[in-house]
Amino acid sequence: MKLKKLFAGVITGVMVVGLIGCGTTSEKLQKKLKANLEIVELRDYEDGTIKDEFTKEEYEKVRKQCDAANRANFMEIKTTYGNENGQRIIDALKKRVQSVEYEIIKKTDERDLISFVIKSQAVDGTKLDEMIENNINEYSKADNFENKKLEEIQKDVADIIIRAYEEAPTKETENTVIYTKKDGAWNPNSNFNNITEKIYIAE
């Protein structure tokens, strides 16, 4: 599995929650968007601004969708590297997702359309995969590699992956999120999931 694909998968299995009434201002909508991104980052309910913008019920509904979307990939990671090492990789992945810096800037504010530009320092996905592949190849060529036990290899490779998540360079990205009002409710782009992926990881 490409670890870049796993990284992207974590942040695209989320549906937007919480339609907003007709009295919404762009400032309120901007706060809602930030909280929604914090859910995308798999943060706990009490972390960040989520609890200020979403009910616990809304949050738990989306987290269940996240967990269901990620279950197969996370299971594959644990099967490949062992439960303990797999969980370390997953924890490192979440930590890197949550460390991505971004700024939400209002772009347009019209009667039935509000848009925001999100400038972020996304993880360079191509460099991430290159780092992991090159370091694993180098590791496998070591003189004592064939004498290592499976458990030792799993731990060492997990360490390589975790280090790559920590050290992968970033790319500056700009993505636009557009909300349109219909029947008194504001809804984001239909491709919101694809946009969120680009906020956190860049080709």
Side-chain angles (χ1 to χ4, degrees), residues 20-31 109 114 116 186:
I20 304 172
C22 57
T24 296
T25 64
S26 59
E27 288 76 16
K28 290 181 180 178
L29 193 55
Q30 185 168 337
K31 291 179 181 179
D109 187 352
I114 299 175
F116 301 95
W186 290 91

Side-chain angles (χ1 to χ4, degrees), residues 40-52:
V40 168
E41 296 167 2
L42 303 182
R43 293 182 182 272
D44 294 332
Y45 183 69
E46 299 294 332
D47 192 6
T49 64
I50 298 172
K51 64 182 181 298
D52 299 326

Side-chain angles (χ1 to χ4, degrees), residues 31-45 47-51 59 63 98 102 200:
K31 291 179 181 179
K32 198 86 169 180
L33 173 57
K34 176 175 172 55
N36 202 131
L37 291 176
E38 290 173 347
I39 299 177
V40 168
E41 296 167 2
L42 303 182
R43 293 182 182 272
D44 294 332
Y45 183 69
D47 192 6
T49 64
I50 298 172
K51 64 182 181 298
Y59 169 80
R63 279 307 302 263
Q98 294 171 4
Y102 60 84
Y200 295 93

Side-chain angles (χ1 to χ4, degrees), residues 10-202:
V10 167
I11 52 181
T12 55
V14 180
M15 295 181 65
V16 181
V17 297
L19 300 180
I20 304 172
C22 57
T24 296
T25 64
S26 59
E27 288 76 16
K28 290 181 180 178
L29 193 55
Q30 185 168 337
K31 291 179 181 179
K32 198 86 169 180
L33 173 57
K34 176 175 172 55
N36 202 131
L37 291 176
E38 290 173 347
I39 299 177
V40 168
E41 296 167 2
L42 303 182
R43 293 182 182 272
D44 294 332
Y45 183 69
E46 299 294 332
D47 192 6
T49 64
I50 298 172
K51 64 182 181 298
D52 299 326
E53 303 298 329
F54 295 101
T55 67
K56 189 69 175 292
E57 184 180 3
E58 289 173 328
Y59 169 80
E60 289 178 349
K61 180 179 179 181
V62 175
R63 279 307 302 263
K64 285 181 180 179
Q65 294 170 347
C66 294
D67 293 342
N70 290 319
R71 189 171 292 116
N73 283 338
F74 286 176
M75 187 175 296
E76 182 178 348
I77 289 294
K78 290 184 176 182
T79 299
T80 303
Y81 302 102
N83 282 331
E84 183 177 344
N85 294 317
Q87 188 60 53
R88 290 198 300 123
I89 292 172
I90 293 166
D91 290 343
L93 168 61
K94 292 179 181 179
K95 184 177 180 180
R96 185 60 198 265
V97 168
Q98 294 171 4
S99 73
V100 169
E101 298 179 355
Y102 60 84
E103 180 182 11
I104 303 174
I105 304 167
K106 182 174 67 178
K107 183 178 181 181
T108 58
D109 187 352
E110 302 172 7
R111 181 178 177 182
D112 295 323
L113 186 150
I114 299 175
S115 66
F116 301 95
V117 172
I118 303 177
K119 295 184 178 181
S120 67
Q121 294 296 325
V123 173
D124 188 328
T126 300
K127 293 292 186 183
L128 172 66
D129 272 346
E130 287 178 357
M131 290 171 65
I132 292 172
E133 184 176 352
N134 291 340
N135 288 334
I136 289 178
N137 285 340
E138 184 177 345
Y139 169 75
S140 66
K141 294 176 183 178
D143 292 338
N144 64 338
F145 177 77
E146 293 184 356
N147 297 324
K148 289 179 178 287
K149 295 181 179 180
L150 175 60
E151 292 78 8
E152 185 178 1
I153 294 174
Q154 288 174 324
K155 181 182 181 303
D156 291 344
V157 173
D159 288 341
I160 290 172
I161 293 170
I162 291 168
R163 189 161 55 249
Y165 278 145
E166 294 171 344
E167 299 176 357
T170 62
K171 269 187 177 182
E172 185 172 317
T173 67
E174 286 192 16
N175 297 278
T176 301
V177 177
I178 301 172
Y179 286 86
T180 55
K181 187 171 70 172
K182 184 178 180 181
D183 299 328
W186 290 91
N187 292 281
N189 315 54
S190 59
N191 64 336
F192 182 79
N193 287 352
N194 293 332
I195 294 171
T196 57
E197 177 183 335
K198 294 175 183 178
I199 294 169
Y200 295 93
I201 189 160

